[in-house]
Amino acid sequence: MRPGAGFAAFLASLSAIPVSRLLNSHSAMESPVVVFAAGAGVLLGLLLVLYLLVRGNRPKDPLFYVFAVFSFTSVIDLVISLEQDGYIKGFMAFYLKEGEPYLRSAYGTLICYWDGTVHYVLYLTMIAAITLGRNYRNVGLYWLGSLAMSLITLLLGTSVGKFGSEIRPAFLLNIPYVLIPLWAGKKILGSPRPLSQATADQVTLDCPFDFCDSYKYEQEPYLLDPVMYPRIQMLVNMFYLLPFFGLALYGLIVPGCMWMLDLTMIFAGAIAQAQFSHIGSSLHPRTSFTYRVPDNAAASFLYVNVFFAVGAQLLAFRCAICSSFFLKGVPRSNEEMEKKVN
């Protein structure tokens, strides 16, 4: 039990606010190289401070430090998005100019909102779980899917879109977000899986929506935006998310598909992040008016995209609370259980 370590991580994340204010007021932050060095230095310094703060009460799980540092950058991202939309000023202007200017786009603003809210809550949840000795496998997989989706779209979209010519050295600060989650994902997948106690006949396949009849293709001008984020997103949806739903349908019909328990969490996080950013960017004022969703198509656009996101969350929720259906050798009913016992 290490609640003190969790509180220290929370306070460290909030230090992002005065740190960003201080750096923004420094005259040296007009050089891309200096901005990169400052960003790397702040992250390494934060890691050292955290290590010293919990020295006498260190968590056994090394991912504590990862989530603590990432929670700090989540607060930074929230500050960026709030400053972009004019709610605050004087915090991260230097970074948007000489660090990662592509975050000035509608998509960049939306993923910063997502990282500063949803990811921040997930980080604090996992930190609390670590300090209290609780299992955080499902939360971790959800975060892993969400982070992977945002990185794939952001990095590829930035590289091939109109912001490709504005890449600064600070772009390299994304490397830890690519490499560390690979290690974290391996560690999370190797942790014990929390399972519910139920027989397989307590799982149903009902759905109140007729997806095939109600789903219609509507024009989304945002897909034509030269920032390239929406096109990359659609390619990822086509080649990864849609095939996953086909596999998930099989997993819901045929008992014993254990891979459903982990994959649904990963994909639910990925789809939630993707749809939040796609929907928000399609309507955000930072997207040129030409590429925003027309007023007469807004209702159908929201219906289709929100349904896609919510469906993935409900699928993950079902797998989490009815996990026995996806285990091999689980009795299909109470009668089968009695026969197996006898």
Side-chain angles (χ1 to χ4, degrees):
M1 302 289 284
R2 297 177 175 86
F7 186 66
F10 173 67
L11 291 180
S13 71
L14 296 182
S15 69
I17 299 173
V19 167
S20 62
R21 184 77 173 187
L22 179 63
L23 290 177
N24 190 72
S25 63
H26 202 291
S27 59
M29 294 297 120
E30 297 180 358
S31 166
V33 175
V34 173
V35 170
F36 166 70
V42 167
L43 294 181
L44 291 175
L46 176 65
L47 186 61
L48 177 61
V49 169
L50 282 169
Y51 184 81
L52 295 175
L53 284 176
V54 300
R55 182 172 51 184
N57 199 18
R58 287 178 186 155
K60 296 180 180 179
D61 191 338
L63 286 180
F64 167 85
Y65 300 100
V66 172
F67 299 144
V69 173
F70 281 12
S71 67
F72 173 90
T73 59
S74 287
V75 176
I76 289 289
D77 281 344
L78 182 59
V79 170
I80 288 176
S81 57
L82 291 174
E83 185 159 359
Q84 281 287 87
D85 282 343
Y87 296 109
I88 58 176
K89 64 178 181 179
F91 287 87
M92 293 298 293
F94 77 97
Y95 194 78
L96 291 167
K97 180 181 179 182
E98 303 296 346
E100 297 185 78
Y102 46 85
L103 294 179
R104 296 196 304 259
S105 66
Y107 183 82
T109 301
L110 265 296
I111 66 168
C112 284
Y113 271 125
W114 183 266
D115 190 52
T117 55
V118 177
H119 284 173
Y120 185 59
V121 171
L122 294 179
Y123 292 136
L124 294 183
T125 300
M126 291 186 285
I127 288 172
I130 291 173
T131 58
L132 296 175
R134 306 285 177 80
N135 186 293
Y136 60 92
R137 181 189 178 95
N138 286 340
V139 178
L141 293 176
Y142 191 92
W143 160 75
L144 193 64
S146 175
L147 184 65
M149 177 61 75
S150 63
L151 284 174
I152 290 172
T153 305
L154 177 68
L155 300 183
L156 289 179
T158 298
S159 300
V160 302
K162 72 175 186 179
F163 289 102
S165 61
E166 297 187 44
I167 292 179
R168 308 283 197 270
F171 187 78
L172 297 175
L173 293 175
N174 289 295
I175 292 178
Y177 281 86
V178 175
L179 299 180
I180 293 178
L182 294 177
W183 166 63
K186 181 179 179 181
K187 185 171 179 58
I188 292 171
L189 285 169
S191 64
R193 178 185 288 115
L195 300 174
S196 62
Q197 300 297 322
T199 56
D201 63 346
Q202 296 171 299
V203 179
T204 60
L205 193 58
D206 295 331
C207 180
F209 303 103
D210 190 342
F211 180 76
C212 293
D213 291 338
S214 64
Y215 185 85
K216 300 178 181 178
Y217 289 101
E218 295 291 341
Q219 183 179 7
E220 297 182 21
Y222 180 57
L223 295 176
L224 304 176
D225 196 320
V227 297
M228 289 298 292
Y229 300 125
R231 301 185 194 184
I232 295 295
Q233 186 66 72
M234 292 305 105
L235 288 174
V236 173
N237 289 356
M238 181 183 299
F239 290 109
Y240 294 99
L241 301 188
L242 290 182
F244 164 72
F245 278 114
L247 290 174
L249 180 61
Y250 173 84
L252 288 172
I253 296 174
V254 180
C257 297
M258 290 187 62
W259 48 266
M260 283 282 288
L261 298 175
D262 292 340
L263 282 184
T264 51
M265 287 297 166
I266 294 174
F267 275 86
I271 292 170
Q273 189 283 326
Q275 292 306 99
F276 173 83
S277 300
H278 181 71
I279 294 172
S281 298
S282 300
L283 304 172
H284 199 277
R286 284 192 174 274
T287 296
S288 300
F289 181 80
T290 307
Y291 301 120
R292 291 183 217 162
V293 176
D295 292 339
N296 60 353
S300 56
F301 166 79
L302 288 172
Y303 173 77
V304 170
N305 285 279
V306 171
F307 176 78
F308 184 53
V310 172
Q313 311 312 305
L314 293 177
L315 175 62
F317 181 71
R318 168 181 284 175
C319 291
I321 64 172
C322 302
S323 55
S324 296
F325 177 82
F326 305 100
L327 300 179
K328 295 180 180 180
V330 175
R332 292 297 304 273
S333 64
N334 290 328
E335 290 76 10
E336 289 187 17
M337 183 180 294
E338 292 177 358
K339 291 181 181 179
K340 187 174 182 179
V341 173
N342 295 332

